Amino acid sequence: MQHYTDGRFWVKLISSKAFSQYVEHRGFKVRSLAEAVDKELTKMKATRGGKPARCSRSTIGHLMSGHRNTCLPHTARAIERVLDAPAGSLFVPQVLPVVRNTAA
């Protein structure tokens, strides 16, 4: 069996507390932000696996609570656009190592 390391590009939330405060400051709740991000993803024509990309309420809620700190780049970009935040102010790019096992 061979092992090889690959990379997966994600973006990481800088601070869940700051993100929650920013969401509140802009007057959003979890549901309203998720709906607005969905609309922005549609406008951006973002896709995942050939289907239109979506942003669920649970994704927003987990980012705000700190249970999750990563998401896909197009989701992060849509969140920053909806919140009218400067690009890169809420999320930072990150390449996560992925180890794969293959039969020789």
Side-chain angles (χ1 to χ4, degrees):
M1 187 175 307
Q2 293 179 329
H3 302 285
Y4 71 94
T5 303
D6 198 5
R8 180 174 293 151
F9 182 69
W10 287 84
V11 290
K12 185 174 181 179
L13 185 64
I14 295 170
S15 166
S16 60
K17 187 173 182 176
F19 177 63
S20 295
Q21 291 171 348
Y22 205 85
V23 170
E24 275 186 44
H25 174 72
R26 292 293 185 190
F28 285 98
K29 301 285 185 201
V30 172
R31 181 184 300 258
S32 61
L33 180 58
E35 290 170 356
V37 170
D38 255 356
K39 287 179 186 175
E40 183 64 28
L41 287 167
T42 301
K43 195 163 61 171
M44 292 167 49
K45 298 181 180 167
T47 60
R48 180 165 188 202
K51 296 180 181 179
R54 302 288 314 245
C55 180
S56 68
R57 293 188 307 265
S58 61
T59 298
I60 299 297
H62 291 317
L63 288 170
M64 289 176 70
S65 70
H67 284 100
R68 181 176 182 166
N69 65 359
T70 60
C71 64
L72 293 171
H74 58 259
T75 303
R77 190 169 37 252
I79 290 170
E80 288 180 335
R81 284 181 182 179
V82 167
L83 293 175
D84 199 27
S89 63
L90 299 173
F91 298 90
V92 293
Q94 182 178 28
V95 177
L96 301 175
V98 178
V99 177
R100 303 190 189 275
N101 299 324
T102 60

